[in-house]
Amino acid sequence: MLSTKLARGVRYTSQRTTLYQTRSATTASGSHKFKVLIVGGGSGGLSVAQQIYNRFKAAGKPLADGDIAIVDGAENHYYQPGWTLVGSGLSPKTDFSRPLASLIPKHISLIPENIQTFSPNSSSVTTATGRDISYDTLVVAAGIQSNFDAIKGLPSALADPTSGVSTIYSYNTCDKVWTDIENLKSGNAVFTQPSGIIKCAGAPQKIMWMAWDRFRRTGREDIKVDFYTGMPTMFSVKKYSDALNALRLERGVGGHFGHDLVAVDAANRKATFKKADDGSNISVDYSLLHVTPPMGPLNVFKGSPIADAAGWVPVDKGTLQHVNPEFSNVFALGDCSSLPTSKTAAAITGQAPVLTENLFSFVDTGKVGNAVYDGYTSCPLLTGYGELMLAEFKYGLEPKESFGDIFDQSKSNRFFYHLKKDLFPYAYWNFMVNGRWFGSKGFVRPKF
C-alpha cells in the first residue's frame, strides 16, 4: 500500500512539474528582455520576486504578467534548514523538496536555464545555451556552492554507504546522517566545521548536539563526541559562543579549534586535519564522521564584472545596490552577496524587503529609497531533542533578539525548538516563498 502511494506521488509530481515547466518556458520564450530579471530560484530569489511584484502593485503601478523573470536551471527547490531535521530523524527529506516550477506563480516567468556570463555594461546575461537576455534591473540571488572536492577522499566516502561519513549539507546525503547515527554502537563520533564562510554557520554543531543527545537517550553514553572546527570559537557572537562552550564542557564534548579537515581515508577510518597555529597535519580516528565542506562563490562569478576579486557580488551593506555606480541597476541578496552577515534563510527575511523597496524607488525615481538593512540574521541552534538556542544578531555581531524580554536567548528551551521544527518549515512553504513572510516581523511587511 505504501509503495503504491509513493509511486502515485512520484507520477503526480512528475506530471505537475512538466506542466509547470511547459507553461513557464513558453511564457519566457516570448520575450528576451524583462523589467526585472532575478538570477536564482532559491529562498532569496522566490521571496524577492513576489515582494517586488506586490510592491509595484501596491503603489498603483502594477507590472504586467511576465515583466519579472527568474532564471534557474534547477529542477527542484529545497528548504535547506530542514536537512538538519532529516539528519536528526525528525522528518523525511521529501518534506523539504518541491519542483521549482510549482512554486512560481503564473505572473512571473521561469527560464529553466543557468547563467553562463554577466554583461552589466549592456544590462544583459547569457545562459549556458547561448541565449541572451536583457533587463532593466537585475537581482542576483544565486546562492553559494559547497566544495566537496576540496577535501581529498570526501566525495567517494559520501557515496559509500558503509564509510560512516555523511553530511547534512546535501539533499542526497542528509538522510545518510541519521542512518550513520543510528548504526553507530561505539567509538568516536567526529563533527567538523571549516574555517571561512559557510551557509548557516551553526548547522555543523546543531547535528552534533542532536547526535550527542540521541546517543545518550539510547544507552550509548560511551560514544566519544568531538568537534573539530577551523574557527577559533564555538560561534561568532560572544554571547552565544560562551553559552555553547559551557554546554560543550558540561557534556564532555571535545573542542578542537583551528582545525580544518583536508582529507578523509574511509578505508582506514582516518580524518586528516590541518592546524591553523603551525600548519601541521594531524590524523584522527573516527567511527562516524560528519563533514561540513568548505564553501565559496559559484564558479560563474569567477572573473565576472559584477563580482569582486573573491567572487562575491559587492553591494552596499545597507541598500543592497551594487557598489559600482555603473551597475546601479544591479542588486543582490543572500549567500552570493558580499553582505557581512551570516548566510541564512532568516537573513533573507531581513534583506528582501529592503531590496524590494530600494529597487522600486530606483525604478520609480532613479534613486534608491531610505530602506536600510541592519544585518539581521538568525541561527536556530538545536542543542538536543526538545531544546533549541535561538541566536539572533545583526551587523557587528550584536544580538538583536525577538524574545529577549521574555527569555534569555542564550539558553535553550522547548518553545524555540518547536519554532525550528514546526513553525518555520510551515511558514516557509506557505508564506516565505510567496513573499509574505518577514521573519521576526511575521506577516507584517516592514515600513520604511
Side-chain angles (χ1 to χ4, degrees):
M1 177 66 75
L2 180 59
S3 60
T4 302
K5 288 182 179 179
L6 287 173
R8 288 174 181 169
V10 170
R11 286 196 297 271
Y12 170 71
T13 299
S14 177
Q15 292 168 356
R16 183 175 63 174
T17 303
T18 302
L19 288 172
Y20 272 106
Q21 286 180 334
T22 300
R23 184 270 300 168
S24 301
T26 301
T27 301
S29 64
S31 173
H32 292 279
K33 183 172 184 178
F34 298 90
K35 291 188 180 299
V36 182
L37 184 67
I38 298 169
V39 177
S43 58
L46 291 185
S47 296
V48 82
Q50 188 60 50
Q51 287 187 35
I52 290 171
Y53 180 85
N54 292 342
R55 181 66 181 91
F56 277 87
K57 185 177 180 180
K61 302 176 181 181
L63 298 175
D65 288 1
D67 277 351
I68 301 174
I70 294 174
V71 186
D72 195 322
E75 181 179 351
N76 295 313
H77 175 96
Y78 302 107
Y79 177 61
Q80 295 184 35
W83 294 349
T84 305
L85 303 178
V86 177
S88 303
L90 294 170
S91 302
K93 69 180 183 180
T94 50
D95 282 358
F96 306 117
S97 173
R98 295 188 184 179
L100 173 59
S102 71
L103 300 174
I104 299 177
K106 65 179 182 179
H107 53 268
I108 295 175
S109 296
L110 170 63
I111 303 172
E113 301 181 39
N114 291 318
I115 299 298
Q116 181 170 292
T117 57
F118 292 87
S119 303
N121 288 311
S122 61
S123 293
S124 66
V125 298
T126 303
T127 68
T129 63
R131 177 181 181 181
D132 294 322
I133 306 169
S134 299
Y135 56 80
D136 290 335
T137 55
L138 176 70
V139 177
V140 188
I144 192 173
Q145 71 181 27
S146 297
N147 298 315
F148 295 100
D149 291 337
I151 298 175
K152 182 180 178 182
L154 179 58
S156 58
L158 290 173
D160 181 356
T162 65
S163 68
V165 180
S166 60
T167 180
I168 57 168
Y169 276 93
S170 167
Y171 182 76
N172 293 331
T173 60
C174 59
D175 50 349
K176 188 182 186 223
V177 177
W178 176 242
T179 299
D180 286 354
I181 289 173
E182 287 298 88
N183 288 343
L184 186 64
K185 305 304 179 186
S186 61
N188 303 322
V190 175
F191 296 80
T192 78
Q193 177 172 343
S195 58
I197 296 172
I198 63 172
K199 52 187 172 184
C200 194
Q205 61 181 293
K206 294 179 191 179
I207 191 62
M208 177 186 73
W209 296 126
M210 297 301 279
W212 179 92
D213 196 19
R214 180 64 178 170
F215 295 150
R216 275 133 193 85
R217 287 171 181 263
T218 52
R220 293 176 284 170
E221 295 90 346
D222 292 339
I223 294 176
K224 188 174 184 294
V225 177
D226 284 283
F227 187 45
Y228 283 81
T229 173
M231 305 304 288
T233 60
M234 289 294 289
F235 199 70
S236 58
V237 180
K238 188 178 186 304
K239 174 179 180 177
Y240 308 117
S241 183
D242 289 348
L244 289 165
N245 198 55
L247 186 67
R248 180 186 68 78
L249 294 171
E250 176 189 327
R251 292 180 173 182
V253 172
H256 310 269
F257 302 98
H259 286 67
D260 265 308
L261 180 68
V262 294
V264 177
D265 179 359
N268 294 299
R269 301 256 171 159
K270 291 183 179 295
T272 301
F273 292 89
K274 184 175 183 179
K275 298 173 63 178
D277 55 2
D278 60 9
S280 64
N281 287 348
I282 63 167
S283 181
V284 175
D285 294 326
Y286 69 84
S287 308
L288 177 153
L289 178 64
H290 179 273
V291 178
T292 300
M295 302 175 199
L298 274 64
N299 292 332
V300 69
F301 293 121
K302 294 179 180 178
S304 171
I306 71 163
D308 61 21
W312 308 110
V313 182
V315 293
D316 182 279
K317 72 174 189 177
T319 67
L320 280 66
Q321 183 184 40
H322 203 284
V323 297
N324 187 336
E326 296 180 6
F327 307 153
S328 59
N329 63 337
V330 176
F331 296 79
L333 79 165
D335 296 353
C336 71
S337 74
S338 63
L339 294 171
T341 192
S342 185
K343 298 181 182 295
T344 67
I348 295 296
T349 67
Q351 295 165 17
V354 170
L355 188 153
T356 295
E357 188 66 22
N358 285 325
L359 184 147
F360 169 78
S361 179
F362 177 80
V363 172
D364 194 42
T365 69
K367 298 180 180 180
V368 296
N370 58 1
V372 176
Y373 173 56
D374 66 0
Y376 173 80
T377 189
S378 175
C379 185
L381 285 153
L382 289 160
T383 54
Y385 291 87
E387 59 177 81
L388 183 145
M389 181 187 302
L390 184 59
E392 294 180 287
F393 51 100
K394 59 182 180 178
Y395 288 144
L397 303 177
E398 180 183 343
K400 183 185 178 182
E401 299 177 339
S402 301
F403 304 96
D405 293 339
I406 306 172
F407 302 109
D408 177 354
Q409 290 192 205
S410 67
K411 296 182 179 179
S412 300
N413 67 45
R414 178 171 284 276
F415 171 67
F416 292 156
Y417 174 80
H418 286 291
L419 291 181
K420 164 73 175 177
K421 177 179 173 292
D422 303 311
L423 176 64
F424 292 162
Y426 177 83
Y428 185 83
W429 290 122
N430 291 279
F431 301 103
M432 185 168 170
V433 295
N434 300 322
R436 295 186 290 135
W437 178 253
F438 303 99
S440 60
K441 303 292 185 182
F443 302 107
V444 181
R445 180 182 179 276
K447 295 181 179 180
F448 305 103

